[in-house]
Amino acid sequence: YPVLLVKARVNGEGPYTFFVDTGATVSIVSASLANKLQLAELPTPVHGIGAGGRFTAHAAFASISVGNIRQDHVMVATFDFAQIQKAVGPIDGGLGYNFLKAYRVTIDFPRQRLCLASP
């Protein structure tokens, strides 16, 4: 299935490979990336909806940058990405609605580009 991959920085580190998931309520990062960046786990898990259905997961806040767009204090759920990586290769995270909602989002699949513009 078509997956749009983008390069993202998390807390100024990276770039890391993220997929774009317009149907996910919350952005996600791999558990290994969360550990590497020492993201502080929130005391309460996050509940969300993604490609695999409803989920409950550990969460943290992070700064995420894609191109020249940066958002601070983005909630990210942490997951073991083993199944996703089997399907699409090495992945570090996914951009969900809580990141994308601030922009007019255009996905150009033929050129494999994500365009984020102020509404």
Side-chain angles (χ1 to χ4, degrees):
Y1 59 96
V3 175
L4 179 62
L5 301 177
V6 297
K7 293 297 182 184
R9 299 182 82 70
V10 180
N11 290 352
E13 301 292 324
Y16 300 105
T17 303
F18 275 52
F19 60 91
V20 178
D21 188 349
T22 59
T25 55
V26 174
S27 297
I28 60 177
V29 296
S30 68
S32 61
L33 181 60
N35 288 336
K36 177 181 176 182
L37 298 178
Q38 299 179 343
L39 298 182
E41 187 177 296
L42 297 173
T44 305
V46 64
H47 304 283
I49 300 171
R54 295 184 183 279
F55 64 83
T56 300
H58 296 291
F61 285 108
S63 168
I64 299 177
S65 302
V66 178
N68 61 355
I69 300 285
R70 176 181 162 167
Q71 280 188 40
D72 295 319
H73 207 69
V74 177
M75 181 180 288
V76 293
T78 59
F79 282 97
D80 176 357
F81 278 19
Q83 293 301 318
I84 295 171
Q85 290 175 340
K86 284 181 186 176
V88 297
I91 297 289
D92 300 299
L95 297 177
Y97 175 75
N98 68 326
F99 180 87
L100 299 169
K101 70 182 179 182
Y103 310 102
R104 184 178 64 235
V105 178
T106 304
I107 298 174
D108 183 345
F109 281 107
R111 292 191 179 111
Q112 286 289 293
R113 293 185 63 172
L114 172 69
C115 298
L116 302 173
S118 297

